[in-house]
Amino acid sequence: MSATEPDSPDTPGTPDIRAAVGAKPGNAPLPQQAPALAARLRSLTPARVGLGRTGVSLRTRDLLDFSRCHAMARDAVHAQLAAVALAATLKEISGSEVVRLHSAAADRTNYLQRPDLGRELDEQSRRRLDEIRLAGAARQGAPMNAPGLAIVVADGLSALAVERHAALFMRELMPHLHGWKSTPVCLVEQGRVAIGDEIGAALRAEIVVVLLGERPGLSSPDSLGAYITWQPRPGRTDAERNCISNIRPEGLGYASAARLLAVILNEARRLRLTGIALKVEAGQLGPGG
């Protein structure tokens, strides 16, 4: 609507929310109907909609809730990953070696101030991956060739999300990985999504999956994301990845996310690509998808 058009419910194609709540045009919603509408909206989303007010201000309880959720989001960003305990759990679930790595960001402050350092490994981690690759070649009597799948777990911007959900999601995912030859699981501290490109390239993987704590929101401080990249190598862009977001009981459940990831992996191998060119239809997920 332009600045010259009247704000009228009679404008063609413009829904009149006032009519939807039973109010007369030009007036606010009727007092007895506004709470019902607000309650209905709140039942559909965790977003802050339909909040009450006292005068021109938020009610004290809503302001305190906002402050609490903001503090939880900040805590999630600054939290340190309990790497030792998580590594042990991931090893038990995956039945695979878990390799602990570190990005080039020395600590959390450095990580938050220098996003670029979170996208690359430090020298010690690079040497560790070289040792793994050489050990694999020695066992096979030939250069390590296309192990298939590399799984990377990184703290990202919410170590809380990784600690709560990564192992439980992996438990649901493992039965879907039959037919995939995998590298050791890599657990990275102070890592961002693109660090999986360097890890996957170092391990000669066809495809890498990065499980990572996503940026906290005011209603979701513990959202886990899965980022999938075909033929990982440094320099890959976000357009060359697929993402499954908000993996947690309050969002996309572990079982549904595992089925979706399995479909994306199989389609990526069939088409030899990921990213905007790879589309997954709901029918491909099977029953319960």
Side-chain angles (χ1 to χ4, degrees), residues 28-75:
L30 297 177
Q32 67 270 27
Q33 293 170 325
L37 175 62
R40 182 182 175 193
L41 291 174
R42 285 196 296 270
S43 72
L44 300 174
T45 174
R48 288 169 173 77
V49 296
L51 298 181
R53 66 185 183 186
T54 300
V56 296
S57 302
L58 285 173
R59 293 176 298 185
T60 300
R61 67 183 182 190
D62 293 327
L63 180 60
L64 291 176
D65 179 68
F66 178 91
S67 298
R68 178 184 65 85
C69 291
H70 185 255
M72 290 175 63
R74 287 176 59 89
D75 286 348

Side-chain angles (χ1 to χ4, degrees), residues 219-239:
S219 60
S220 56
D222 62 339
S223 177
L224 184 73
Y227 295 81
I228 308 101
T229 309
W230 174 257
Q231 291 187 341
R233 62 177 183 270
R236 286 294 197 191
T237 66
D238 288 342

Side-chain angles (χ1 to χ4, degrees), residues 134-150:
L134 292 174
R139 285 194 299 270
Q140 297 176 20
M144 192 173 179
N145 184 33
L149 174 64

Side-chain angles (χ1 to χ4, degrees), residues 150 196-202 205-208 229-234 236:
D197 297 336
E198 183 177 0
I199 295 171
E206 284 184 309
I207 193 166
V208 64
T229 309
W230 174 257
Q231 291 187 341
R233 62 177 183 270
R236 286 294 197 191

Side-chain angles (χ1 to χ4, degrees), residues 96-181:
S96 170
E97 179 186 2
V98 175
V99 181
R100 289 183 56 191
L101 305 172
H102 204 288
S103 78
D107 52 36
R108 199 62 178 171
T109 299
N110 192 215
Y111 170 84
L112 294 173
Q113 294 175 344
R114 291 284 305 275
D116 57 313
L117 297 181
R119 300 184 184 111
E120 58 186 55
L121 294 169
D122 63 11
E123 285 301 321
Q124 182 176 352
S125 296
R126 287 172 177 160
R127 289 195 297 270
R128 180 73 179 103
L129 290 183
D130 286 341
E131 293 170 0
I132 292 172
R133 185 175 63 251
L134 292 174
R139 285 194 299 270
Q140 297 176 20
M144 192 173 179
N145 184 33
L149 174 64
I151 296 179
V152 176
V153 180
D155 46 9
L157 286 169
S158 176
L160 179 65
V162 177
E163 291 175 357
R164 284 183 177 177
H165 308 305
L168 295 174
F169 173 64
M170 282 283 290
R171 193 182 302 277
E172 290 287 344
L173 179 63
M174 293 308 298
H176 296 279
L177 298 184
H178 293 303
W180 282 95
K181 183 180 178 183

